[in-house]
């Protein structure tokens, strides 16, 4: 029992990280996009669990609702709309795979510098992000709401206009000519 | 063993690399759009890890904006996909070589 209380967060982190990476590999290797979409859903859910481990409870639920619910349903609808059974896919990968190898090598170099930098990084865990209002500590959702509607009100409204424009654009693009 | 910010950075980097690989090598536009979502999720993980390390909520607010932008991008991208499918009866990106239609 003591083993679990000490090592529990680390075990959960490695478990969900492994699930996320394996599912992400399935997303880009599956021939049928339907299976890829299911793997993407698994990635989103394990990332939501990782958000919970970093005390971002509100965003974990936003991840489940918006990504797991909204965006995933959009993808599945479009996959069913385009009816991929008629399309035979002879080659899985495009012609710029050599370019991808070069970019991958550059990314590998970045990864190496990241590992070197890890040796010098401070490892102390910070306290969870709380906001105090009238001397009272707020929970994560309340704190995010306070910060969002007090300090970031204008960007929030701009994002709402952006979503309206994106919705109109999607309707115009998807309409029959 | 303590899980620190650097563990989250490594995981975020791996997810980002997988997403970029998917964007670059796949021919199917649906898979490319899903790889873009992977890249945005890797960025979100970074923002939340740094938000926790500094005890500052700004990173979490930015994640909300990123999710909104990702939703708009998915809607417009899938609209373009439907337009391409109506024009060419395929979702392979190789077949969309010019923008004139």
């Amino acid at each position: 029992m003591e083993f679990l209380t000490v090592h529990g967060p680390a075990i959960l982190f490695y478990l969900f990280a492994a699930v996320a990476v394996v599912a992400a590999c399935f997303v880009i290797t599956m021939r049928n996009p339907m299976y890829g979409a299911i793997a993407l859903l698994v990635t989103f859910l394990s990332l939501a669990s990782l958000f919970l481990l970093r005390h971002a409870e509100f965003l974990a639920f936003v991840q489940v609702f918006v990504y797991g619910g909204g965006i995933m349903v959009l993808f599945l609808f479009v996959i069913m709309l385009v009816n991929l059974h008629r399309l035979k896919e002879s080659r899985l990968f495009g012609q710029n795979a050599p370019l991808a190898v070069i970019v991958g090598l550059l990314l590998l170099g970045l990864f190496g510098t990241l590992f070197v930098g890890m040796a010098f990084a401070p490892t102390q865990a910070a306290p969870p992000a709380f906001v105090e209002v009238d001397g009272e500590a707020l929970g994560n959702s309340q704190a995010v709401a306070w910060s969002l509607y007090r300090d970031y009100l204008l960007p929030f409204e701009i994002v709402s206009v952006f979503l309206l424009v994106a919705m109109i654009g999607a309707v115009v693009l998807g309409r029959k000519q | 063993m303590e899980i620190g910010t650097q563990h989250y950075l490594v995981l975020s980097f791996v997810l980002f690399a997988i997403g970029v690989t998917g964007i670059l090598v796949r021919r199917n536009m649906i898979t490319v759009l899903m790889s873009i979502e992977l890249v945005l999720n890797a960025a979100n993980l970074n923002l939340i890890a740094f938000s926790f390390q500094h005890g500052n909520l700004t990173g979490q607010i930015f994640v909300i904006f990123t999710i909104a932008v990702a939703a708009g991008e998915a809607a417009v991208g899938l609209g373009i996909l439907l337009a391409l499918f109506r024009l060419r009866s395929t979702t392979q990106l190789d077949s969309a070589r010019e923008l004139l239609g």
Side-chain angles (χ1 to χ4, degrees):
Chain A
M1 202 63 206
E2 194 192 336
F3 177 80
L4 273 186
T5 50
V6 174
H7 296 284
I11 294 172
L12 283 178
F13 173 82
Y14 283 117
L15 177 69
F16 287 122
V19 170
V21 169
V22 170
C25 289
F26 276 132
V27 170
I28 67 165
T29 50
M30 279 293 162
R31 193 168 282 269
N32 190 344
M34 188 68 92
Y35 296 144
I38 302 296
L40 191 64
L41 180 61
V42 173
T43 312
F44 288 159
L45 294 183
S46 42
L47 282 180
S49 315
L50 290 173
F51 289 179
L52 275 182
L53 288 178
R54 285 283 103 154
H55 287 284
E57 291 91 358
F58 176 68
L59 286 171
F61 279 93
V62 167
Q63 174 93 357
V64 172
F65 289 149
V66 177
Y67 268 120
I71 295 180
M72 194 48 59
V73 166
L74 207 60
F75 270 106
L76 290 178
F77 258 114
V78 169
I79 291 171
M80 285 189 268
L81 259 174
V82 299
N83 189 13
L84 288 162
H85 296 294
R86 290 196 288 112
L87 309 171
K88 292 190 297 290
E89 196 174 5
S90 52
R91 284 185 302 128
L92 198 61
F93 300 122
Q95 292 158 345
N96 48 5
L99 175 70
V101 171
I102 295 171
V103 172
L105 287 178
L106 287 176
L107 282 175
L108 205 63
L110 270 176
F111 195 36
T113 54
L114 190 63
F115 261 120
V116 171
M118 264 175 70
F120 303 106
T123 54
Q124 91 282 358
F130 278 126
V131 168
E132 289 207 2
V133 175
D134 300 334
E136 195 178 353
L138 300 177
N140 181 256
S141 303
Q142 272 181 309
V144 169
W146 264 93
S147 188
L148 187 61
Y149 293 126
R150 193 184 50 199
D151 303 331
Y152 296 94
L153 187 58
L154 182 64
F156 181 74
E157 297 296 338
I158 292 174
V159 160
S160 67
V161 174
F162 165 78
L163 279 178
L164 179 67
V165 171
M167 191 177 72
I168 294 172
V171 168
V172 169
L173 279 170
R175 166 189 69 155
K176 280 207 167 61
Q177 299 298 327
Chain B
M1 177 180 176
E2 197 66 49
I3 294 295
T5 303
Q6 62 268 33
H7 292 81
Y8 277 81
L9 290 187
V10 170
L11 172 63
S12 158
F13 179 85
V14 172
L15 285 177
F16 182 85
I18 293 173
V20 170
T21 310
I23 292 172
L24 285 177
V25 304
R26 285 301 299 256
R27 292 173 71 222
N28 197 338
M29 189 171 168
I30 298 173
T31 312
V32 171
L33 285 174
M34 291 198 285
S35 303
I36 294 175
E37 300 292 332
L38 273 182
V39 168
L40 289 168
N41 266 285
N44 283 351
L45 198 63
N46 251 350
L47 283 169
I48 283 185
F50 278 118
S51 163
F52 180 79
Q53 176 170 0
H54 295 293
N56 190 344
L57 275 178
T58 309
Q60 301 192 14
I61 305 289
F62 267 73
V63 171
I64 294 178
F65 292 146
T66 313
I67 290 176
V69 170
E73 175 263 327
V76 173
L78 291 170
I80 293 173
L81 173 74
L82 280 182
L84 174 70
F85 182 75
R86 202 165 285 140
L87 199 66
R88 292 285 158 85
S89 297
T90 179
T91 58
Q92 308 294 321
L93 283 173
D94 294 3
S95 63
R97 290 198 172 277
E98 73 274 4
L99 290 174
L100 285 174

